[in-house]
Structures are given as C-alpha cells and as structure tokens.
C-alpha cells in the first residue's frame, strides 16, 4: 500500500480532466450544430419552401401506401424508445444498481 497516498489525488485530477473533456465535448457539439444550421440556411437562402408545404404536404416515395409509410415512420421512433425502456427495466432487477450498473 505504498502508492495509496498518491492514488487519491491522481483520481481527483483524472475526475477533473474527465469533467473538462465532457464540457469541451458538449461545447463543441453545440458549436457544430450552430455552424451546420447556419450553413444549411445560408445555402437554401432564396429557395425556401413555403410553410404550407413543410407542415401539410407529405411525399411518399417508398412504394407503400400512404398509411403504411406513415406507420413505418412511427415504428422507427417506437423501436428507439423501446431500446431505452428495456434497459431501464433490466437495471431495476439488478441488486445494488449504483455499484454494478456503471461496470456494465
């Protein structure tokens, strides 16, 4: 246990570095989103679609009838939510979740 006194300050520095890297990753993600949004809006500038087209019209190029195409679109969102929900219910069954779940 000779190295134990130096272990805690090293872990504290590592935790601080991880927090800083998460913060910088968040800031870079938001910056990238803003830059991409501005670029897309600038490139489409004189040829905007009307609000009526954007919010009322639908273009179905799938080959399926309109109703089935709409349901297939909802299916993708439903499957995404199901994946997160299944994990949450599985974690409820693990004893001592606070210690064991982060290791998974």
């Amino acid at each position: 246990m000779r190295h134990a006194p130096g272990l805690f300050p090293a872990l504290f520095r590592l935790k601080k570095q991880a927090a800083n890297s998460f913060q910088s990753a968040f800031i870079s993600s938001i910056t990238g989103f803003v830059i991409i949004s501005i670029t897309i809006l600038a490139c489409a500038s004189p040829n905007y679609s009307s609000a009526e087209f954007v919010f009322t019209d639908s273009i179905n190029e799938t080959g399926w009838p309109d109703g089935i195409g709409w349901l297939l679109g909802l299916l993708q969102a439903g499957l995404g939510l199901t994946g997160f929900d299944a994990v949450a219910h599985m974690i409820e069954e693990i004893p001592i979740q606070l210690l064991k779940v982060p290791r998974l």
Side-chain angles (χ1 to χ4, degrees), residues 12-35:
F12 181 72
R13 281 191 304 271
L14 183 64
K15 181 180 177 184
K16 190 172 183 178
Q17 289 173 350
N20 289 338
S21 68
F22 290 139
Q23 183 178 7
S24 64
F26 177 73
I27 290 171
S28 65
S29 296
I30 296 299
T31 305
F33 172 75
V34 169
I35 289 171

Side-chain angles (χ1 to χ4, degrees), residues 10 24 28 33 39 48 50-51 59 64 74 76 81 83 86 88 91 98:
S24 64
S28 65
F33 172 75
T39 304
Y48 293 123
S50 67
I59 300 171
W64 292 89
L74 284 179
Q76 296 303 311
L81 291 173
I91 288 174
L98 293 176

Side-chain angles (χ1 to χ4, degrees), residues 20-67:
N20 289 338
S21 68
F22 290 139
Q23 183 178 7
S24 64
F26 177 73
I27 290 171
S28 65
S29 296
I30 296 299
T31 305
F33 172 75
V34 169
I35 289 171
I36 289 171
S37 298
I38 290 172
T39 304
I40 288 173
L41 289 172
C43 290
S45 124
N47 302 324
Y48 293 123
S49 298
S50 67
E52 181 182 359
F53 172 76
V54 171
F55 294 110
T56 61
D57 292 346
S58 67
I59 300 171
N60 181 6
E61 296 179 351
T62 62
W64 292 89
D66 285 339

Side-chain angles (χ1 to χ4, degrees), residues 8 11 19 43 45 54 78 89 95 97 100:
F8 293 112
L11 288 176
C43 290
S45 124
V54 171
H89 289 293
Q97 298 115 353
K100 294 185 179 180

